[in-house]
Amino acid sequence: MSAYGEYEPVIGLEVHAQLLTRTKAFCGCATSFGDPPNTHTCPVCLGLPGALPVLNAEAVALAVRASLALGCSLQTRSVFARKNYFYPDLPKGYQISQYDLPLALTGVLDVEVEGTPRRVGIHRVHMEEDAGKNLHGIGDESVVDLNRAGTPLIEIVSEPDLRAGAEAAEYLRRLREVLMFTGVNDGNLEQGSFRCDANVSIRKVGETRLGTRVELKNINSFKFVADAIDVEIRRQINLVERGERVRQQTRGYSAEKRESYLLRDKESESDYRYFPEPDLPPLVLAEAFIESIRSALPELPVAKRARWALELGLTAYATSVLGGHPAIARFFDEARALYPDAVKLANFVQSEVLRDVTTTGLSASFPVTPAQVVEILRLVDAGTISGKQAKELYTAVAGTDHAPGDVVRERGMAVLGDASAIEAIARGVMEANPKQVASYRAGKTALLGFFVGQIMKQTKGSADPATVNAVLVRLLGEGSGA
């Protein structure tokens, strides 16, 4: 029995990922985000009569890279097609996409949901251009911004292998990681460069025939994807149990109301009237071109985390945190090349460095360099500073180009490890606190922490804890009869 009683959800995802090119798919207009509306347009992306598209070679290379990273079978010959529909943000009245001869087929993506591994099939990867953007509520009007029209995308269509909203969200996280680590997509959900449509249907447990699917459109949050799918599953179950039928629709999702809502009746493939794009020749890929991209693929995030766990002894949590963004993974690898203790390094990066890191797309802003982190840890290893002082030193170095060793010398932060000097301080503390000394010698040995704290306060944390404890135990033991 499934989590939905006698019903089994069947979920497939269509992910639209913007390719990281400087210019659009079929013209030279810029793809930069956030510029004034309709400033990156030309006769080609405006669909003016007589304007001819020219395929962006860099977009092809990125699409091939993504397909290879997903284990897809590349088709050496693919064909662009016109997908006809009429929306205000589609100036030509059709979208250049791929249909019956796409770029790549039959890939896989391995995910893990609550400790259970799942293999999700990739049905196809095809190239296409984006539409523009409708802006509603501008006074009493709706307007359109065509800056995004013609931006190069890949659409990654999964097999209907997912069975819950949580599985869909995890699939999206792992897919996004692959695209980011390969430099194909910046993973920016807020700007819409990575967005998802979910096809959701239900059937009785044990049935093999697919039910009527509903498409949930353009969801840009992992949490909302999971919530929207689960809400839609419940809606369909309620319909069926009332004796009604599920209609093939395109629906949106309201996170505030936790409900899906009708956008339009879903078009069928015949409604799009696909036919080969007459202005673009077939895309033919040479084997040498494919192999050059394959050989340059970076280490993928799943493989990187597995290597860190096996070779470096990092925990699953540490590999997940440090391997969740390409810039953070790169920072750790650079520091690791300079420092042998990977576990100690990972702990320091997680506890101190990452709380000050901000990520934007594929880039990240770090308060320190890998070399500064390594020097701090080496100062601890050498006994020059304590572990507690390492945190203080990190704060002093963060946001500067100062060498940690120089800061230690300038601030007099070196650990006080001289037993005779610590003994002099300890005797002064004992003289100032005779009642506590008497209580300790009477058996309240927990007061040792009080004396340690007093010494650390006087030395501003620079005294070596082990030496402090040894000196205090000896001095306080004198005269106790112990």
Side-chain angles (χ1 to χ4, degrees):
M1 192 68 70
S2 80
Y4 301 94
E6 61 182 312
Y7 296 96
E8 176 185 60
V10 178
I11 304 156
L13 299 181
E14 300 172 2
V15 172
H16 296 85
Q18 179 177 332
L19 300 172
L20 286 177
T21 59
R22 292 180 296 104
T23 56
K24 294 185 181 182
F26 303 110
C27 67
C29 292
T31 56
S32 58
F33 180 84
D35 292 337
N38 299 309
T39 53
H40 299 309
T41 59
C42 73
V44 173
C45 54
L46 289 176
L48 298 184
L52 295 176
V54 177
L55 180 58
N56 185 330
E58 181 60 21
V60 174
L62 291 174
V64 169
R65 188 187 305 173
S67 300
L68 291 172
L70 293 169
C72 291
S73 174
L74 278 163
Q75 302 211 97
T76 55
R77 183 180 184 273
S78 58
V79 173
F80 286 97
R82 289 188 180 182
K83 180 181 181 181
N84 295 273
Y85 57 98
F86 297 95
Y87 294 148
D89 58 359
L90 194 69
K92 294 192 292 288
Y94 62 86
Q95 176 190 36
I96 298 178
S97 182
Q98 291 182 320
Y99 179 50
D100 54 343
L101 291 174
L103 179 71
L105 298 166
T106 60
V108 294
L109 185 65
D110 291 318
V111 302
E112 186 174 298
V113 182
E114 297 180 352
T116 302
R118 289 291 307 277
R119 171 158 286 192
V120 182
I122 305 293
H123 177 64
R124 60 188 277 151
V125 177
H126 66 259
M127 298 181 67
E128 63 184 23
E129 61 179 342
D130 208 348
K133 183 177 183 181
N134 292 318
L135 303 172
H136 305 292
I138 310 299
D140 295 328
E141 301 175 336
S142 292
V143 296
V144 63
D145 177 9
L146 294 175
N147 277 350
R148 199 170 69 184
T151 296
L153 306 176
I154 49 172
E155 181 173 339
I156 303 166
V157 182
S158 82
E159 296 289 356
D161 292 341
L162 300 162
R163 296 294 178 264
E167 291 184 10
E170 188 61 21
Y171 167 87
L172 289 174
R173 289 188 185 95
R174 297 308 167 210
L175 178 59
R176 178 174 176 261
E177 282 182 357
V178 170
L179 298 181
M180 291 177 68
F181 272 77
T182 52
V184 169
N185 175 264
D186 65 10
N188 198 315
L189 284 79
E190 294 78 14
Q191 294 180 5
S193 59
F194 182 91
R195 58 189 191 269
C196 160
D197 300 337
N199 293 305
V200 182
S201 65
I202 60 168
R203 63 188 177 191
K204 290 289 185 72
V205 172
E207 285 190 4
T208 56
R209 183 174 58 86
L210 295 176
T212 301
R213 65 187 174 94
V214 169
E215 182 180 38
L216 298 172
K217 197 73 175 171
N218 285 343
I219 312 170
N220 64 350
S221 154
F222 298 137
K223 180 181 185 304
F224 290 167
V225 165
D227 290 347
I229 289 173
D230 288 337
V231 163
E232 177 59 22
I233 291 168
R234 297 294 180 188
R235 186 189 74 85
Q236 292 185 25
I237 291 173
N238 290 338
L239 280 175
V240 172
E241 291 187 337
R242 290 199 304 266
E244 301 177 39
R245 67 181 182 86
V246 177
R247 291 165 50 202
Q248 186 168 316
Q249 297 174 332
T250 297
R251 301 179 70 88
Y253 175 68
S254 170
E256 291 181 1
K257 297 180 179 180
R258 282 189 58 81
E259 64 181 26
S260 66
Y261 56 89
L262 177 65
L263 291 173
R264 58 186 177 271
D265 286 332
K266 174 67 177 171
E267 300 93 341
S268 64
E269 289 190 349
S270 61
D271 292 325
Y272 291 126
R273 294 178 292 115
Y274 283 100
F275 65 89
E277 167 58 66
D279 293 331
L280 287 169
L283 173 59
V284 179
L285 303 177
E287 288 294 342
F289 173 75
I290 295 172
E291 289 308 312
S292 68
I293 294 176
R294 191 194 306 275
S295 64
L297 278 176
E299 185 178 34
L300 297 179
V302 170
K304 183 180 289 290
R305 285 193 285 264
R307 177 175 60 81
W308 283 349
L310 180 64
E311 297 179 4
L312 305 182
L314 300 190
T315 65
Y317 177 78
T319 63
S320 176
V321 172
L322 297 172
H325 189 280
I328 293 172
R330 189 163 51 249
F331 182 96
F332 177 75
D333 277 338
E334 290 176 7
R336 172 68 186 87
L338 302 171
Y339 188 74
D341 192 332
V343 173
K344 184 183 291 186
L345 173 64
N347 290 339
F348 190 84
V349 172
Q350 289 176 90
S351 63
E352 302 302 320
V353 180
L354 290 189
R355 68 166 181 258
D356 298 324
V357 173
T358 56
T359 59
T360 304
L362 293 183
S363 63
S365 173
F366 291 88
V368 290
T369 65
Q372 286 174 313
V373 168
V374 167
E375 187 174 348
I376 291 172
L377 293 177
R378 284 177 173 163
L379 288 167
V380 175
D381 292 344
T384 305
I385 61 172
S386 66
K388 180 180 179 181
Q389 286 177 303
K391 299 181 178 183
E392 179 187 345
L393 179 57
Y394 166 80
T395 301
V397 169
T400 75
D401 59 358
H402 300 329
D406 293 342
V407 175
V408 167
R409 286 187 290 274
E410 291 167 5
R411 298 195 177 193
M413 293 176 65
V415 166
L416 177 60
D418 181 73
S420 60
I422 291 175
E423 180 173 336
I425 297 169
R427 289 188 182 279
V429 169
M430 291 168 63
E431 289 173 6
N433 297 278
K435 291 182 179 179
Q436 285 82 356
V437 171
S439 295
Y440 178 93
R441 288 174 173 171
K444 294 184 178 180
T445 55
L447 282 167
L448 181 66
F450 165 78
F451 292 104
V452 172
Q454 292 298 306
I455 293 175
M456 288 300 183
K457 184 177 179 180
Q458 288 196 24
T459 62
K460 297 181 179 180
S462 65
D464 175 56
T467 306
V468 169
N469 276 272
V471 167
L472 282 171
V473 168
R474 176 170 56 80
L475 293 179
L476 289 167
E478 293 176 0
S480 66

